[in-house]
Amino acid sequence: MAEKRPVKIVETVLRDAHQSLIATRMKTEEMLPIIDKMDKVGYYAVECWGGATFDASLRFLKEDPWDRLRKLRAGFKNTKLQMLFRGQNILGYRPYADDVVEYFVQKSIANGIDIIRIFDCMNDLRNLQTAVTATNKEGGHAQVALSYTLGDAYTMDYWTEKAKQVEEMGADSLCIKDMAGLLVPYEATRLVETLKKAVKIPIDLHTHYTSGVASMTYLKAIEAGCDIIDCAMSPFALGTSQPATEVMVETFRGTEYDTGYDQALLAEIADYFRPMRDSALDSGLMNPKVLGVNIKTLLYQVPGGMLSNLMSQLKEQHAEDKYYQVLEEVPRVRKDLGEPPLVTPSSQIVGTQAVFNVLMGERYKMVTKETKAVLMGEYGATAKPFNAELQKKVIGDATPITCRPADLIEAELDKLEKEVAPWKQQDEDVLTYALFPQVAVDFFKYRQAQQTKVDATVADTKNGAYPV
């Protein structure tokens, strides 16, 4: 019998799974009753925070994300908690000053996060260093995620070189973040075998089921030496989410990779989440389209969430018939912009520009401010050079940024502290405000109203006015 090497599983049902399938609408109160059982499984970690959960909690659920984290931490006595962190962009959509990044890391760990998965949409490692160093300093586990993509620039040498740099910068583990389900099974074997030779730190593989190959990709990756895989409980698995936890557990049962997890316990957890999935389908919150296989992902390299985004943009313009033209335009725009991986926010930038190029009937007749920012170097360095002609047309004689973009941002915390002072009830409020100022203020007003028990009949929720 080969030496035992149990697969470690990160459970995503409390973060990426519901973000991918039901627009991040799972409430804290829906999570809490099942924590006790989830805590007994033996997961390597539970991903439960970061990504879009922060924004969605405030904007749509009227919940304090910090409060959610504290409640989850109180419930999970034996399991590590993990979050997703967008490097210098934290959980927002612009780069922040180093002091804000450092404070956010400090408060995330203080409130209960153990593992911070840090990524950058350009794979520009300069945008990750501050967060990695801060995580190391606070005693957390810094996992650096490389956004996996295809293209001329993305050779085995590229991935090997990046992985070595990730290890050198102080990362405790490396994640291959395949957000669009582009990694096919035998390529996973090659990639994992190559990276295992290049670095000593553990390797985690994260993928989505969008293109239909994810479970097979996991199998080949584990056989090649991958240490950790990300899975979701079956009611919130497959489609644009991850492979199902129970299926992967059963796949490895009785082998050297056996997780040892109890299927009866997993079945109880699945039973808990199933009614949530059913009601999401009944209410239209979960679109059955996201549950199917879309092999076009491999043709156009467009992540599942981006596909639905493009559809809604075209629908608003009554131009659904242009869908395939836009899909064909996406790889061309991506090439012009230095072939970045398509993940938040680069996927939205490339997708929106492709829509404009098609609808205007002339490429780059109208250029979004985000496209201009990419060409100015405000998001960091890309794997390939920009289309020089396009860059000249868009930025003119302006000098593009070549340094780390955050080097040009002055410390912001003191200014933010002054602005949030009228609303502040906990240290973390300044960070909530830093990320989403308008949404945060609306939430703070709502919170104040709840505390003073306003008469709901006179509360002007539309304008956020709550007469006491």
Side-chain angles (χ1 to χ4, degrees), residues 205-233:
L205 177 56
H206 169 93
T207 190
H208 290 250
Y209 211 86
T210 323
S211 61
V213 299
S215 298
M216 295 180 280
T217 296
Y218 275 171
L219 178 62
K220 299 309 284 181
I222 290 296
E223 289 174 354
C226 179
D227 303 281
I228 310 160
I229 52 175
D230 289 14
C231 302
M233 287 307 300

Side-chain angles (χ1 to χ4, degrees), residues 162-324:
K162 287 282 181 196
K164 286 177 177 167
Q165 289 169 352
V166 163
E167 189 171 44
E168 281 160 19
M169 74 196 287
D172 298 296
S173 61
L174 169 71
C175 172
I176 302 161
K177 180 177 165 61
D178 178 22
M179 57 282 165
L182 300 174
L183 185 60
V184 292
Y186 287 100
E187 196 55 29
T189 301
R190 278 185 64 216
L191 181 61
V192 172
E193 283 177 349
T194 304
L195 294 183
K196 286 302 276 187
K197 288 190 190 111
V199 297
K200 302 270 190 296
I201 52 177
I203 293 177
D204 184 333
L205 177 56
H206 169 93
T207 190
H208 290 250
Y209 211 86
T210 323
S211 61
V213 299
S215 298
M216 295 180 280
T217 296
Y218 275 171
L219 178 62
K220 299 309 284 181
I222 290 296
E223 289 174 354
C226 179
D227 303 281
I228 310 160
I229 52 175
D230 289 14
C231 302
M233 287 307 300
S234 55
F236 283 95
L238 309 187
T240 48
S241 177
Q242 279 76 49
T245 306
E246 307 95 305
V247 174
M248 297 318 298
V249 167
E250 201 54 40
T251 300
F252 297 118
R253 186 173 305 290
T255 71
E256 66 205 85
Y257 312 113
D258 195 334
T259 61
Y261 297 175
D262 177 357
Q263 280 288 20
L265 177 59
L266 291 173
E268 287 179 45
I269 296 168
D271 287 344
Y272 177 80
F273 285 109
R274 200 165 290 108
M276 272 186 228
R277 171 203 168 100
D278 293 344
S279 70
L281 279 165
D282 293 343
S283 68
L285 185 56
M286 188 191 287
N287 183 338
K289 281 182 184 158
V290 300
L291 299 173
V293 164
N294 195 332
I295 200 70
K296 288 203 171 66
T297 300
L298 297 175
L299 291 177
Y300 304 113
Q301 300 176 35
V302 175
M306 185 178 166
L307 279 174
S308 51
N309 205 6
L310 292 178
M311 268 310 264
S312 64
Q313 285 186 20
L314 290 170
K315 204 171 180 178
E316 275 173 29
Q317 303 298 325
H318 307 292
E320 288 112 312
D321 58 321
K322 302 275 199 293
Y323 183 58
Y324 288 104

Side-chain angles (χ1 to χ4, degrees), residues 8 12 63 163 175 187 210 232 267 327 333 347 351 385 418 439 451:
K8 297 183 171 90
T12 67
E63 291 184 6
C175 172
E187 196 55 29
T210 323
L327 279 186
V333 172
S347 53
K418 286 191 185 81
V439 175
Q451 289 160 348

